[in-house]
Amino acid sequence: VYSIITMFSYIGVAASSPLLGTIYDLTGGYTTAWILITCVGVAVCACLIGANRLSARISFEDNEEVEIREAV
């Protein structure tokens, strides 16, 4: 999992400079670029929170099954 996350991080770092430079060239300022960066950051945070909650729910369901099996 760590290697996949690292790969996407490096892709993001490599793609961000040319993308932000293109946005600057098209708009003449960094405002649009900052708005884009903020939106992507909020989306990433939402995904991380959702993944954390989902993993906690799955972990709880797995532990519940183990407890039920041990009781029987």
Side-chain angles (χ1 to χ4, degrees):
V1 173
Y2 180 74
S3 60
I4 294 171
I5 292 170
T6 303
M7 178 186 68
F8 282 110
S9 296
Y10 287 142
I11 290 171
V13 168
S16 64
S17 292
L19 177 64
L20 297 178
T22 302
I23 291 172
Y24 177 81
D25 290 340
L26 293 174
T27 62
Y30 287 109
T31 303
T32 305
W34 281 111
I35 291 170
L36 176 66
I37 291 170
T38 302
C39 291
V40 169
V42 168
V44 167
C45 287
C47 289
L48 289 173
I49 291 169
N52 187 20
R53 289 184 180 174
L54 181 62
S55 70
R57 186 180 312 151
I58 290 171
S59 176
F60 176 74
E61 290 172 358
D62 289 343
N63 288 338
E64 192 174 83
E65 287 181 22
V66 170
E67 290 174 6
I68 291 171
R69 285 186 203 152
E70 288 176 355
V72 174

